[in-house]
Amino acid sequence: MGNALQITAQMPAAEAEALLAAMRQSYSTSLNEHWYADEFRYVPDGERHSSILKKKPAMAAQKRLMAALSLSLKAVKQS
């Protein structure tokens, strides 16, 4: 990622947990919609998720943000 962005945010753990829950729900809904869409119907199950992420950059970004939030929340709980 040559021209990748780095984003920093500070928020209380409760807000981060709420945001993560909302993002997970949104991601799950989007994934379900795309999983059965005609565009991806004939992509083998083992490749379908990555295929969706390649064609839907907002979902790929959302997945990265969810991972970052999860990691940050774990770090806060361990300290």
Side-chain angles (χ1 to χ4, degrees):
M1 281 188 253
N3 61 351
L5 299 175
Q6 184 171 350
I7 300 168
T8 304
Q10 287 186 314
M11 64 186 77
E15 287 180 10
E17 289 170 355
L19 178 59
L20 181 58
M23 290 180 73
R24 283 180 173 156
Q25 179 60 43
S26 173
Y27 186 84
S28 177
T29 299
S30 294
L31 183 60
N32 192 46
E33 288 173 4
H34 294 303
W35 192 268
Y36 297 104
D38 289 341
E39 182 179 4
F40 302 103
R41 182 171 295 167
Y42 298 109
V43 176
D45 285 355
E47 300 170 17
R48 198 175 301 178
H49 188 225
S50 60
S51 180
I52 291 169
L53 293 180
K54 285 179 187 172
K55 292 189 176 185
K56 306 295 179 186
M59 286 185 65
Q62 192 174 18
K63 186 174 185 232
R64 287 180 184 273
L65 287 172
M66 289 187 302
L69 276 171
S70 293
L71 187 64
S72 294
L73 284 167
K74 283 181 186 177
V76 166
K77 288 179 182 178
Q78 290 177 353
S79 58

